Amino acid sequence: VATDGQHLYTSLYKSPGAINQYTLDGTFVKSFTIKGCTSNAIRNLAFDGTHFYAADTESWIYRLDMENQQVLDTITTSEYARHNNYSPELNGGKGGFVMGDWTTSIYTDKAGAKIGDGPALKGASGTAIHNGVLYAFEQGHEDAYSLSCYDVASGKHLRTISLADYVEITPSAEAAAAG
């Protein structure tokens, strides 16, 4: 899920390049397919204030043009990008990505060059950074609906909470995030 402040966008992990667009109140607008995004289905979306980025479990990130529904650029990375998010706090405030596979996380600049290692994760399928804290939706805990928090600078685990404890969320045994 990502937003540009005008719309929400979600991906459909079983369909290469498939995107759903919604208004900010959650009303469905349309579905479309990103031209040039055909290798795997998109697992995660990110927005840097100008462009959207998509990760699809390979060692690259697509820079997208949502209006024209196409790939603008493919950014090569040193790691698989099952989870991916943009953070303006990385790279000395120049911005970058937190990305990785189920158990890894690295920090890269906007060109995809590795600038550091993040914490080891437990089945991460989505990440976000805010105020120096990395939030990871992890499915590798005893409870498969866990949100863990890590200090970005040190990688130290701060806490894990179960999202299944919230009445609003009623996950099923078959539920999985980002594939």
Side-chain angles (χ1 to χ4, degrees):
V1 176
T3 184
D4 58 5
Q6 296 178 357
H7 292 97
L8 293 169
Y9 296 89
T10 64
S11 61
L12 302 170
Y13 82 93
K14 291 185 178 184
S15 300
I19 301 285
N20 285 334
Q21 182 185 43
Y22 302 86
T23 62
L24 294 179
D25 70 2
T27 303
F28 177 79
V29 175
K30 64 183 175 182
S31 291
F32 57 90
T33 300
I34 298 290
K35 296 175 210 81
C37 185
T38 58
S39 64
N40 286 311
I42 296 169
R43 304 291 179 161
N44 278 272
L45 293 167
F47 185 69
D48 71 356
T50 303
H51 292 101
F52 283 90
Y53 298 85
D56 72 354
T57 73
E58 297 296 333
S59 56
W60 57 74
I61 300 168
Y62 297 113
R63 186 167 53 99
L64 307 177
D65 176 346
M66 290 295 204
E67 186 175 327
N68 294 306
Q69 304 170 7
Q70 65 185 3
V71 172
L72 295 174
D73 191 20
T74 301
I75 302 166
T76 302
T77 62
S78 63
E79 307 282 335
Y80 289 116
R82 181 179 192 85
H83 64 88
N84 175 58
N85 83 78
Y86 175 78
S87 173
E89 301 169 19
L90 289 175
N91 198 22
K94 296 176 188 169
F97 300 102
V98 175
M99 51 163 292
D101 65 16
W102 278 104
T103 60
T104 64
S105 62
I106 65 166
Y107 307 132
T108 71
D109 64 16
K110 286 184 76 172
K114 184 176 176 179
I115 56 175
D117 289 311
L121 304 173
K122 295 182 178 182
S125 59
T127 52
I129 290 181
H130 182 68
N131 290 335
V133 176
L134 172 66
Y135 299 87
F137 180 72
E138 297 177 315
Q139 298 176 94
H141 292 273
E142 193 172 300
D143 168 0
Y145 315 103
S146 297
L147 180 67
S148 294
C149 305
Y150 300 88
D151 180 76
V152 171
S154 69
K156 179 183 175 192
H157 178 259
L158 303 174
R159 69 182 287 190
T160 298
I161 61 170
S162 172
L163 298 178
D165 292 341
Y166 293 86
V167 179
E168 298 86 3
I169 300 171
T170 54
S172 70
E174 299 86 33

